Amino acid sequence: MPDHVLAIVARPSLEAPAAPDASDWRFVDPASPQLTALDLGATRGDGIFETLSVNHGRAQALDHHLRRFARSAAMLDLPAPDLATWRAVILAAVAELDVPGEAFVKIVMTRGIEYGDRPTGWAYGSVSPDFTRERSDGVSVVLLDRGYRHDVERTSPWLLAGAKTLSYAVNRAVAREAARRGADDVVFVSSDGIVLEGPTSTVVYRRGDGLFSPGTGLGILDGTTQANVFRWAEGLGMSTAFELTTPDILRSADAAWLVSSVRLAAPVRAIDGVPLPVDREFTDTMNGWLAALDN
Amino acid sequence: MPDHVLAIVARPSLEAPAAPDASDWRFVDPASPQLTALDLGATRGDGIFETLSVNHGRAQALDHHLRRFARSAAMLDLPAPDLATWRAVILAAVAELDVPGEAFVKIVMTRGIEYGDRPTGWAYGSVSPDFTRERSDGVSVVLLDRGYRHDVERTSPWLLAGAKTLSYAVNRAVAREAARRGADDVVFVSSDGIVLEGPTSTVVYRRGDGLFSPGTGLGILDGTTQANVFRWAEGLGMSTAFELTTPDILRSADAAWLVSSVRLAAPVRAIDGVPLPVDREFTDTMNGWLAALDN
């Protein structure tokens, strides 16, 4: 069975016409061209995506990812994704993929061809990169200005802060800036000094017996892995809470992690060059629990 | 001859390997798939573009557009575009297009396929939409928060403000917000109250015998059409200047325009519902001069 698969989704939304295709989706060669140069995904980053991890042949946090996919679509005024079709194509990709270790499935819906009447959809599944080192040794991060105030989601919804869009050039540019500064990853800070999220992760930190995260309503994503980590911590009897997080709060945490679907929990071992303690045992237990989830 | 053409560029940069292709570029069917679903242009909006107008079979402001294309590439740490090849493919597309009226050519360079070693490039040429009404009757605009301070280009270059990237979901979202408010177009204002630019245009306004524009260094594009409009005004003996523009300065202008390569100068007839005078004769003369440019 293949170690990466691509499925084209003929009817990503029931609110728009379907592609003239015999099936709801079909597997195609991932290396062959599937998109025209007029697709608004390619010319304007005008679309949305989700990335799900696959462990033991099961897609993780499927409902949460689909809910967020629908929310991103609404924020972009895209036709509502047909979640039954997307769920089916994700499960089909997972079944077709069938790799022994960790894998992921990425689903994408673009606004389609300019002046056209239907969105473009696809699902790509592949073996995951090996994140053993990041999970055990941790990542060094730099704090970088996200440019926006922490309240733009409420004041300026047209900025699409909090939607998971294809317009991710900035999320990739900050990774290059981190590398220039000798760091592995980034934590965004709002222009008014509130810790937001990583470019592809959610910030979680521990203080005493509590786990904390900056939470929603800040123009950041509602973290699927963060929700699972909170669930795990609550099962251990820890308290969990969202709080408005300043850089000083983060820097003085007992430990911190960048959590995301595929890399899981990467402990933060330094912020702007200043070391932060890494609790390996706690992190290993957290990652073991995340990796063993069956939904 | 066709009214739209697509050319795939085999070697968009001399700093990266070429596609295994016999020619520097080749014309393909614009409706047929050319991009894979793994292209970072389509999955991350990770690339750059320029749109040139074509009048009388001549690409306008070609040098200026190529200079800006190279600048955007540098801001995104993309390999430097081979401007000789891009110039040649633009001229070839213009020649192949050969429409009687106005046309445009859009050039795009993406970072290519993830983990790959070469960018993807294409040029798309087509007949222009008819902008007669916008040029004569004008457009109503709303002022919308861009989220960023006016100095982010200097403080936070990783935000890519001032680069013409494929991550344009916000530029399209604000057009929908304008439509919701019953307006035709948008003028962005920085979070600290400075007029910036339109989502696809530069702001120019007249006060007395002077033409003004917000200018560069504000995280906005160096306008190719604005540069031509200033050249035209100077030829008439008018003064021209960049100035830090507040909404009040714009609202109290004698006249204002959104200028861009393809639509040319669209007079602003209202700002947030408050009428602004439209000088039809002056606008017609300006647009006549722009349309008659032969380079």
Side-chain angles (χ1 to χ4, degrees), chain A residues 189-221:
Chain A
V189 178
S190 70
S191 61
D192 51 354
I194 301 298
V195 171
L196 299 173
E197 62 186 347
T200 61
S201 62
T202 309
V203 173
V204 171
Y205 54 98
R206 194 180 73 199
R207 189 173 62 237
D209 283 333
L211 273 196
F212 299 87
S213 186
T216 56
L218 304 171
I220 66 179
L221 289 177

PDB file of all heavy atoms in Angstrom, chain A residues 189-221:
ATOM      1  N   VAL A 189       3.332  36.979  19.300  1.00  0.00           N
ATOM      2  CA  VAL A 189       2.846  37.896  20.331  1.00  0.00           C
ATOM      3  C   VAL A 189       2.058  39.000  19.625  1.00  0.00           C
ATOM      4  O   VAL A 189       2.465  39.474  18.564  1.00  0.00           O
ATOM      5  CB  VAL A 189       4.024  38.491  21.139  1.00  0.00           C
ATOM      6  CG1 VAL A 189       3.532  39.489  22.180  1.00  0.00           C
ATOM      7  CG2 VAL A 189       4.828  37.381  21.792  1.00  0.00           C
ATOM      8  N   SER A 190       0.931  39.396  20.203  1.00  0.00           N
ATOM      9  CA  SER A 190       0.122  40.453  19.585  1.00  0.00           C
ATOM     10  C   SER A 190       0.850  41.786  19.701  1.00  0.00           C
ATOM     11  O   SER A 190       1.765  41.951  20.516  1.00  0.00           O
ATOM     12  CB  SER A 190      -1.242  40.534  20.263  1.00  0.00           C
ATOM     13  OG  SER A 190      -1.099  41.049  21.571  1.00  0.00           O
ATOM     14  N   SER A 191       0.423  42.752  18.877  1.00  0.00           N
ATOM     15  CA  SER A 191       1.087  44.057  18.909  1.00  0.00           C
ATOM     16  C   SER A 191       0.905  44.732  20.264  1.00  0.00           C
ATOM     17  O   SER A 191       1.662  45.634  20.608  1.00  0.00           O
ATOM     18  CB  SER A 191       0.551  44.941  17.776  1.00  0.00           C
ATOM     19  OG  SER A 191      -0.845  45.151  17.928  1.00  0.00           O
ATOM     20  N   ASP A 192      -0.090  44.299  21.047  1.00  0.00           N
ATOM     21  CA  ASP A 192      -0.276  44.854  22.393  1.00  0.00           C
ATOM     22  C   ASP A 192       0.181  43.873  23.481  1.00  0.00           C
ATOM     23  O   ASP A 192      -0.290  43.918  24.616  1.00  0.00           O
ATOM     24  CB  ASP A 192      -1.720  45.325  22.619  1.00  0.00           C
ATOM     25  CG  ASP A 192      -2.768  44.279  22.250  1.00  0.00           C
ATOM     26  OD1 ASP A 192      -2.392  43.212  21.700  1.00  0.00           O
ATOM     27  OD2 ASP A 192      -3.961  44.514  22.514  1.00  0.00           O
ATOM     28  N   GLY A 193       1.108  42.981  23.099  1.00  0.00           N
ATOM     29  CA  GLY A 193       1.844  42.246  24.132  1.00  0.00           C
ATOM     30  C   GLY A 193       1.164  41.041  24.757  1.00  0.00           C
ATOM     31  O   GLY A 193       1.443  40.709  25.907  1.00  0.00           O
ATOM     32  N   ILE A 194       0.318  40.364  24.003  1.00  0.00           N
ATOM     33  CA  ILE A 194      -0.329  39.150  24.503  1.00  0.00           C
ATOM     34  C   ILE A 194       0.195  37.952  23.704  1.00  0.00           C
ATOM     35  O   ILE A 194       0.258  37.995  22.469  1.00  0.00           O
ATOM     36  CB  ILE A 194      -1.867  39.246  24.355  1.00  0.00           C
ATOM     37  CG1 ILE A 194      -2.412  40.449  25.127  1.00  0.00           C
ATOM     38  CG2 ILE A 194      -2.547  37.944  24.792  1.00  0.00           C
ATOM     39  CD1 ILE A 194      -2.163  40.382  26.631  1.00  0.00           C
ATOM     40  N   VAL A 195       0.569  36.881  24.424  1.00  0.00           N
ATOM     41  CA  VAL A 195       1.030  35.661  23.763  1.00  0.00           C
ATOM     42  C   VAL A 195      -0.142  35.026  23.010  1.00  0.00           C
ATOM     43  O   VAL A 195      -1.240  34.881  23.567  1.00  0.00           O
ATOM     44  CB  VAL A 195       1.604  34.672  24.806  1.00  0.00           C
ATOM     45  CG1 VAL A 195       1.876  33.313  24.168  1.00  0.00           C
ATOM     46  CG2 VAL A 195       2.877  35.238  25.429  1.00  0.00           C
ATOM     47  N   LEU A 196       0.086  34.654  21.744  1.00  0.00           N
ATOM     48  CA  LEU A 196      -0.994  34.131  20.909  1.00  0.00           C
ATOM     49  C   LEU A 196      -0.872  32.625  20.688  1.00  0.00           C
ATOM     50  O   LEU A 196      -1.473  31.830  21.380  1.00  0.00           O
ATOM     51  CB  LEU A 196      -1.023  34.884  19.570  1.00  0.00           C
ATOM     52  CG  LEU A 196      -1.269  36.407  19.686  1.00  0.00           C
ATOM     53  CD1 LEU A 196      -1.112  37.093  18.344  1.00  0.00           C
ATOM     54  CD2 LEU A 196      -2.651  36.683  20.275  1.00  0.00           C
ATOM     55  N   GLU A 197      -0.078  32.224  19.713  1.00  0.00           N
ATOM     56  CA  GLU A 197       0.046  30.808  19.333  1.00  0.00           C
ATOM     57  C   GLU A 197       1.329  30.661  18.534  1.00  0.00           C
ATOM     58  O   GLU A 197       1.968  31.653  18.183  1.00  0.00           O
ATOM     59  CB  GLU A 197      -1.167  30.372  18.475  1.00  0.00           C
ATOM     60  CG  GLU A 197      -1.274  31.136  17.154  1.00  0.00           C
ATOM     61  CD  GLU A 197      -2.539  30.844  16.354  1.00  0.00           C
ATOM     62  OE1 GLU A 197      -3.254  29.878  16.655  1.00  0.00           O
ATOM     63  OE2 GLU A 197      -2.797  31.619  15.393  1.00  0.00           O
ATOM     64  N   GLY A 198       1.700  29.418  18.209  1.00  0.00           N
ATOM     65  CA  GLY A 198       2.767  29.202  17.257  1.00  0.00           C
ATOM     66  C   GLY A 198       2.198  29.262  15.844  1.00  0.00           C
ATOM     67  O   GLY A 198       0.975  29.221  15.661  1.00  0.00           O
ATOM     68  N   PRO A 199       3.056  29.355  14.819  1.00  0.00           N
ATOM     69  CA  PRO A 199       2.545  29.396  13.447  1.00  0.00           C
ATOM     70  C   PRO A 199       1.830  28.101  13.038  1.00  0.00           C
ATOM     71  O   PRO A 199       0.984  28.125  12.151  1.00  0.00           O
ATOM     72  CB  PRO A 199       3.793  29.641  12.592  1.00  0.00           C
ATOM     73  CG  PRO A 199       4.959  29.376  13.482  1.00  0.00           C
ATOM     74  CD  PRO A 199       4.508  29.568  14.885  1.00  0.00           C
ATOM     75  N   THR A 200       2.158  26.984  13.691  1.00  0.00           N
ATOM     76  CA  THR A 200       1.466  25.720  13.406  1.00  0.00           C
ATOM     77  C   THR A 200       1.171  24.962  14.696  1.00  0.00           C
ATOM     78  O   THR A 200       1.104  23.730  14.687  1.00  0.00           O
ATOM     79  CB  THR A 200       2.324  24.817  12.477  1.00  0.00           C
ATOM     80  OG1 THR A 200       3.556  24.522  13.153  1.00  0.00           O
ATOM     81  CG2 THR A 200       2.628  25.473  11.154  1.00  0.00           C
ATOM     82  N   SER A 201       0.992  25.671  15.796  1.00  0.00           N
ATOM     83  CA  SER A 201       0.798  24.995  17.084  1.00  0.00           C
ATOM     84  C   SER A 201       0.087  25.905  18.077  1.00  0.00           C
ATOM     85  O   SER A 201      -0.040  27.106  17.855  1.00  0.00           O
ATOM     86  CB  SER A 201       2.157  24.582  17.662  1.00  0.00           C
ATOM     87  OG  SER A 201       2.948  25.741  17.888  1.00  0.00           O
ATOM     88  N   THR A 202      -0.347  25.294  19.185  1.00  0.00           N
ATOM     89  CA  THR A 202      -0.962  26.025  20.291  1.00  0.00           C
ATOM     90  C   THR A 202       0.013  26.032  21.465  1.00  0.00           C
ATOM     91  O   THR A 202       0.720  25.050  21.703  1.00  0.00           O
ATOM     92  CB  THR A 202      -2.265  25.324  20.720  1.00  0.00           C
ATOM     93  OG1 THR A 202      -3.080  25.101  19.575  1.00  0.00           O
ATOM     94  CG2 THR A 202      -3.042  26.173  21.730  1.00  0.00           C
ATOM     95  N   VAL A 203       0.040  27.133  22.202  1.00  0.00           N
ATOM     96  CA  VAL A 203       0.906  27.250  23.377  1.00  0.00           C
ATOM     97  C   VAL A 203       0.174  26.705  24.601  1.00  0.00           C
ATOM     98  O   VAL A 203      -0.980  27.066  24.860  1.00  0.00           O
ATOM     99  CB  VAL A 203       1.293  28.729  23.619  1.00  0.00           C
ATOM    100  CG1 VAL A 203       2.062  28.879  24.937  1.00  0.00           C
ATOM    101  CG2 VAL A 203       2.095  29.272  22.445  1.00  0.00           C
ATOM    102  N   VAL A 204       0.846  25.815  25.337  1.00  0.00           N
ATOM    103  CA  VAL A 204       0.327  25.289  26.608  1.00  0.00           C
ATOM    104  C   VAL A 204       1.465  25.402  27.623  1.00  0.00           C
ATOM    105  O   VAL A 204       2.625  25.180  27.263  1.00  0.00           O
ATOM    106  CB  VAL A 204      -0.116  23.809  26.455  1.00  0.00           C
ATOM    107  CG1 VAL A 204      -0.441  23.193  27.814  1.00  0.00           C
ATOM    108  CG2 VAL A 204      -1.310  23.694  25.513  1.00  0.00           C
ATOM    109  N   TYR A 205       1.148  25.773  28.865  1.00  0.00           N
ATOM    110  CA  TYR A 205       2.218  25.863  29.877  1.00  0.00           C
ATOM    111  C   TYR A 205       1.689  25.441  31.233  1.00  0.00           C
ATOM    112  O   TYR A 205       0.478  25.416  31.485  1.00  0.00           O
ATOM    113  CB  TYR A 205       2.841  27.266  29.910  1.00  0.00           C
ATOM    114  CG  TYR A 205       1.855  28.400  30.091  1.00  0.00           C
ATOM    115  CD1 TYR A 205       1.616  28.973  31.331  1.00  0.00           C
ATOM    116  CD2 TYR A 205       1.166  28.906  28.986  1.00  0.00           C
ATOM    117  CE1 TYR A 205       0.715  30.009  31.482  1.00  0.00           C
ATOM    118  CE2 TYR A 205       0.246  29.934  29.130  1.00  0.00           C
ATOM    119  CZ  TYR A 205       0.029  30.485  30.388  1.00  0.00           C
ATOM    120  OH  TYR A 205      -0.885  31.498  30.532  1.00  0.00           O
ATOM    121  N   ARG A 206       2.631  25.068  32.103  1.00  0.00           N
ATOM    122  CA  ARG A 206       2.276  24.559  33.427  1.00  0.00           C
ATOM    123  C   ARG A 206       2.765  25.538  34.485  1.00  0.00           C
ATOM    124  O   ARG A 206       3.892  26.062  34.400  1.00  0.00           O
ATOM    125  CB  ARG A 206       2.941  23.199  33.654  1.00  0.00           C
ATOM    126  CG  ARG A 206       2.365  22.444  34.856  1.00  0.00           C
ATOM    127  CD  ARG A 206       3.071  21.119  35.028  1.00  0.00           C
ATOM    128  NE  ARG A 206       4.416  21.299  35.534  1.00  0.00           N
ATOM    129  CZ  ARG A 206       5.383  20.382  35.450  1.00  0.00           C
ATOM    130  NH1 ARG A 206       5.146  19.215  34.878  1.00  0.00           N
ATOM    131  NH2 ARG A 206       6.577  20.628  35.907  1.00  0.00           N
ATOM    132  N   ARG A 207       1.912  25.794  35.442  1.00  0.00           N
ATOM    133  CA  ARG A 207       2.307  26.601  36.609  1.00  0.00           C
ATOM    134  C   ARG A 207       1.698  25.896  37.805  1.00  0.00           C
ATOM    135  O   ARG A 207       0.477  25.754  37.900  1.00  0.00           O
ATOM    136  CB  ARG A 207       1.778  28.023  36.464  1.00  0.00           C
ATOM    137  CG  ARG A 207       2.312  28.991  37.522  1.00  0.00           C
ATOM    138  CD  ARG A 207       1.910  30.437  37.252  1.00  0.00           C
ATOM    139  NE  ARG A 207       0.463  30.596  37.279  1.00  0.00           N
ATOM    140  CZ  ARG A 207      -0.285  31.087  36.284  1.00  0.00           C
ATOM    141  NH1 ARG A 207       0.277  31.453  35.150  1.00  0.00           N
ATOM    142  NH2 ARG A 207      -1.589  31.197  36.411  1.00  0.00           N
ATOM    143  N   GLY A 208       2.560  25.380  38.681  1.00  0.00           N
ATOM    144  CA  GLY A 208       2.074  24.607  39.826  1.00  0.00           C
ATOM    145  C   GLY A 208       1.314  23.390  39.324  1.00  0.00           C
ATOM    146  O   GLY A 208       1.807  22.638  38.476  1.00  0.00           O
ATOM    147  N   ASP A 209       0.114  23.202  39.833  1.00  0.00           N
ATOM    148  CA  ASP A 209      -0.692  22.048  39.432  1.00  0.00           C
ATOM    149  C   ASP A 209      -1.658  22.387  38.308  1.00  0.00           C
ATOM    150  O   ASP A 209      -2.608  21.644  38.062  1.00  0.00           O
ATOM    151  CB  ASP A 209      -1.506  21.525  40.635  1.00  0.00           C
ATOM    152  CG  ASP A 209      -0.615  20.734  41.575  1.00  0.00           C
ATOM    153  OD1 ASP A 209       0.403  20.177  41.090  1.00  0.00           O
ATOM    154  OD2 ASP A 209      -0.931  20.695  42.774  1.00  0.00           O
ATOM    155  N   GLY A 210      -1.447  23.512  37.635  1.00  0.00           N
ATOM    156  CA  GLY A 210      -2.378  23.909  36.589  1.00  0.00           C
ATOM    157  C   GLY A 210      -1.736  23.935  35.209  1.00  0.00           C
ATOM    158  O   GLY A 210      -0.544  24.223  35.063  1.00  0.00           O
ATOM    159  N   LEU A 211      -2.539  23.571  34.195  1.00  0.00           N
ATOM    160  CA  LEU A 211      -2.126  23.751  32.797  1.00  0.00           C
ATOM    161  C   LEU A 211      -2.910  24.927  32.241  1.00  0.00           C
ATOM    162  O   LEU A 211      -4.119  25.047  32.462  1.00  0.00           O
ATOM    163  CB  LEU A 211      -2.430  22.515  31.966  1.00  0.00           C
ATOM    164  CG  LEU A 211      -1.413  21.380  31.906  1.00  0.00           C
ATOM    165  CD1 LEU A 211      -1.742  20.450  30.740  1.00  0.00           C
ATOM    166  CD2 LEU A 211       0.021  21.884  31.786  1.00  0.00           C
ATOM    167  N   PHE A 212      -2.226  25.774  31.458  1.00  0.00           N
ATOM    168  CA  PHE A 212      -2.837  26.986  30.932  1.00  0.00           C
ATOM    169  C   PHE A 212      -2.589  27.116  29.429  1.00  0.00           C
ATOM    170  O   PHE A 212      -1.654  26.526  28.888  1.00  0.00           O
ATOM    171  CB  PHE A 212      -2.247  28.224  31.633  1.00  0.00           C
ATOM    172  CG  PHE A 212      -2.485  28.238  33.108  1.00  0.00           C
ATOM    173  CD1 PHE A 212      -1.600  27.597  33.970  1.00  0.00           C
ATOM    174  CD2 PHE A 212      -3.595  28.874  33.647  1.00  0.00           C
ATOM    175  CE1 PHE A 212      -1.814  27.590  35.343  1.00  0.00           C
ATOM    176  CE2 PHE A 212      -3.817  28.876  35.021  1.00  0.00           C
ATOM    177  CZ  PHE A 212      -2.925  28.237  35.859  1.00  0.00           C
ATOM    178  N   SER A 213      -3.441  27.893  28.783  1.00  0.00           N
ATOM    179  CA  SER A 213      -3.284  28.172  27.345  1.00  0.00           C
ATOM    180  C   SER A 213      -3.908  29.537  27.093  1.00  0.00           C
ATOM    181  O   SER A 213      -4.831  29.947  27.817  1.00  0.00           O
ATOM    182  CB  SER A 213      -3.981  27.076  26.527  1.00  0.00           C
ATOM    183  OG  SER A 213      -3.726  27.240  25.152  1.00  0.00           O
ATOM    184  N   PRO A 214      -3.420  30.273  26.076  1.00  0.00           N
ATOM    185  CA  PRO A 214      -3.980  31.618  25.835  1.00  0.00           C
ATOM    186  C   PRO A 214      -5.468  31.607  25.481  1.00  0.00           C
ATOM    187  O   PRO A 214      -6.136  32.626  25.654  1.00  0.00           O
ATOM    188  CB  PRO A 214      -3.123  32.158  24.684  1.00  0.00           C
ATOM    189  CG  PRO A 214      -1.834  31.421  24.798  1.00  0.00           C
ATOM    190  CD  PRO A 214      -2.213  30.041  25.260  1.00  0.00           C
ATOM    191  N   GLY A 215      -5.995  30.479  24.986  1.00  0.00           N
ATOM    192  CA  GLY A 215      -7.435  30.405  24.774  1.00  0.00           C
ATOM    193  C   GLY A 215      -7.922  31.035  23.498  1.00  0.00           C
ATOM    194  O   GLY A 215      -7.138  31.496  22.657  1.00  0.00           O
ATOM    195  N   THR A 216      -9.229  31.070  23.349  1.00  0.00           N
ATOM    196  CA  THR A 216      -9.847  31.507  22.090  1.00  0.00           C
ATOM    197  C   THR A 216     -10.229  32.981  22.164  1.00  0.00           C
ATOM    198  O   THR A 216     -10.081  33.624  23.187  1.00  0.00           O
ATOM    199  CB  THR A 216     -11.089  30.658  21.816  1.00  0.00           C
ATOM    200  OG1 THR A 216     -11.972  30.758  22.933  1.00  0.00           O
ATOM    201  CG2 THR A 216     -10.717  29.209  21.590  1.00  0.00           C
ATOM    202  N   GLY A 217     -10.726  33.495  21.042  1.00  0.00           N
ATOM    203  CA  GLY A 217     -11.156  34.892  20.998  1.00  0.00           C
ATOM    204  C   GLY A 217     -10.008  35.866  20.802  1.00  0.00           C
ATOM    205  O   GLY A 217     -10.190  37.071  20.842  1.00  0.00           O
ATOM    206  N   LEU A 218      -8.796  35.326  20.583  1.00  0.00           N
ATOM    207  CA  LEU A 218      -7.618  36.186  20.412  1.00  0.00           C
ATOM    208  C   LEU A 218      -7.155  36.203  18.952  1.00  0.00           C
ATOM    209  O   LEU A 218      -6.032  36.596  18.661  1.00  0.00           O
ATOM    210  CB  LEU A 218      -6.468  35.669  21.283  1.00  0.00           C
ATOM    211  CG  LEU A 218      -6.743  35.518  22.784  1.00  0.00           C
ATOM    212  CD1 LEU A 218      -5.594  34.789  23.465  1.00  0.00           C
ATOM    213  CD2 LEU A 218      -6.932  36.900  23.412  1.00  0.00           C
ATOM    214  N   GLY A 219      -8.017  35.752  18.048  1.00  0.00           N
ATOM    215  CA  GLY A 219      -7.588  35.651  16.660  1.00  0.00           C
ATOM    216  C   GLY A 219      -6.661  34.473  16.446  1.00  0.00           C
ATOM    217  O   GLY A 219      -5.807  34.506  15.544  1.00  0.00           O
ATOM    218  N   ILE A 220      -6.784  33.451  17.278  1.00  0.00           N
ATOM    219  CA  ILE A 220      -5.948  32.261  17.120  1.00  0.00           C
ATOM    220  C   ILE A 220      -6.853  31.043  16.997  1.00  0.00           C
ATOM    221  O   ILE A 220      -8.064  31.125  17.226  1.00  0.00           O
ATOM    222  CB  ILE A 220      -4.959  32.083  18.296  1.00  0.00           C
ATOM    223  CG1 ILE A 220      -5.696  31.781  19.607  1.00  0.00           C
ATOM    224  CG2 ILE A 220      -4.108  33.335  18.453  1.00  0.00           C
ATOM    225  CD1 ILE A 220      -4.760  31.569  20.794  1.00  0.00           C
ATOM    226  N   LEU A 221      -6.245  29.917  16.628  1.00  0.00           N
ATOM    227  CA  LEU A 221      -7.036  28.710  16.416  1.00  0.00           C
ATOM    228  C   LEU A 221      -7.424  28.069  17.734  1.00  0.00           C
ATOM    229  O   LEU A 221      -6.687  28.115  18.716  1.00  0.00           O
ATOM    230  CB  LEU A 221      -6.243  27.704  15.578  1.00  0.00           C
ATOM    231  CG  LEU A 221      -6.060  28.073  14.117  1.00  0.00           C
ATOM    232  CD1 LEU A 221      -5.184  27.030  13.430  1.00  0.00           C
ATOM    233  CD2 LEU A 221      -7.400  28.201  13.410  1.00  0.00           C
TER     234      LEU A 221
END
